[in-house]
Amino acid sequence: MSESKTTVTLMHTGDRTNGVGPAIDGLGVNPVDNKHVLLKPNFNTADPAPGSTHNDTLTALVKKIWAMGASAVSLGERSFPPTRQVMEQKGILPLMKDLDVKIIDFDELEPKDWVKVDVENSHWRDGFRVARPILEAECLVSTGCLKTHQFGGVFTHSLKLHVGVVPTTRNGFDYMTELHQSPHQRKLIAEINAPFKPHLIFMDGVNAFVDGGPATGKRVQGDILLAATDRIAIDAVGIAALRTMGANEAIMNTPIFQHEQIARAVELGIGVGAVSDIEVVAVDGNSNALRDRVVTNLT
């Protein structure tokens, strides 16, 4: 690994249970040791992966976080439809109880726990609000899915994942309507990420949407797992991975750093600024060929 580049690890596997650990270990960092970890999954809906985080991925990730020495683990999310309903449909509540993970349903936060944020040169009309647990997390771990987004986002990786830290509505204002009706939607997505930084990001591409999404779409077997500490880097590699699977025109034909989500995130200093800043590392010999194909598409 180059010390001057940001690492994204890649594992070629269809085995979520046994793939999570090696993908994370390949980063050579442990940001969770002796920390209270807040885990942000992709529970926008309860649709099967990649519509939402696969329960096997979530289980393996929680077990890995505990094994890395976390002092406590919580899971926080805001879904649509209601968060509690999505978690019940996915069987998350008993699963997390068995794993000693506290659930933080952002729908149930007090008004004071939705913190107003104003980003410089924001494309939000009057700023936005972020769940206080996200802003105050001692260690934030985010886990998303590889997929396209047919409703204006273009792709849903780690940047778009964090739309779930903003309320649907608050104080009579509908943030999600503003987001989805704005001509600057992809810039608004990037801006949500400005006031916080995940310490670890894990991306499940065992299954992926190469068109449609985020809940349902053209589903393919991707057999790829990614890990990183940089949202722009992992999103860029995620786009390259979708290209290896034969994704839609917007993914195949738009230079990665010209995607508005990524370009605005670069402006805000959220992560790396160019493809040349990224090193994709295969975590085992079986992953080398796929890593090479992904790197070829990292343009």
Side-chain angles (χ1 to χ4, degrees), residues 25-45:
D25 289 341
L27 292 172
V29 298
N30 183 354
V32 314
D33 188 32
N34 202 33
K35 298 287 183 18
H36 186 154
V37 175
L38 177 61
L39 177 58
K40 166 66 176 77
N42 184 330
F43 290 166
N44 184 53
T45 65

Side-chain angles (χ1 to χ4, degrees), residues 74-91:
S74 299
L75 181 148
E77 177 66 303
R78 190 275 300 159
S79 307
F80 182 82
T83 305
R84 185 69 51 167
Q85 177 181 325
V86 171
M87 290 188 183
E88 287 174 349
Q89 289 175 349
K90 286 182 61 63

Side-chain angles (χ1 to χ4, degrees), residues 57-166:
T57 302
L58 187 62
T59 298
L61 185 54
V62 169
K63 289 181 177 179
K64 180 60 176 175
I65 290 169
W66 280 123
M68 291 169 71
S71 61
V73 184
S74 299
L75 181 148
E77 177 66 303
R78 190 275 300 159
S79 307
F80 182 82
T83 305
R84 185 69 51 167
Q85 177 181 325
V86 171
M87 290 188 183
E88 287 174 349
Q89 289 175 349
K90 286 182 61 63
I92 294 302
L93 303 179
L95 182 63
M96 291 299 99
K97 182 178 180 180
D98 288 346
L99 292 169
D100 197 22
V101 174
K102 176 186 176 183
I103 297 290
I104 305 176
D105 181 347
F106 292 167
D107 290 346
E108 299 175 354
L109 292 177
E110 298 291 332
K112 66 179 178 61
D113 290 324
W114 286 107
V115 181
K116 177 77 179 303
V117 175
D118 292 293
V119 175
E120 187 175 358
N121 299 319
S122 176
H123 293 80
W124 291 85
R125 282 177 284 178
D126 186 30
F128 54 93
R129 294 182 182 272
V130 173
R132 187 181 299 278
I134 293 289
L135 298 176
E136 297 184 354
E138 187 174 21
C139 178
L140 178 61
V141 176
S142 297
T143 184
C145 308
L146 285 184
K147 54 185 175 180
T148 51
H149 189 284
Q150 64 184 308
F151 302 118
V154 181
F155 60 91
T156 295
H157 296 162
S158 73
L159 293 167
K160 182 70 168 63
L161 169 72
H162 293 114
V163 170
V165 310
V166 176

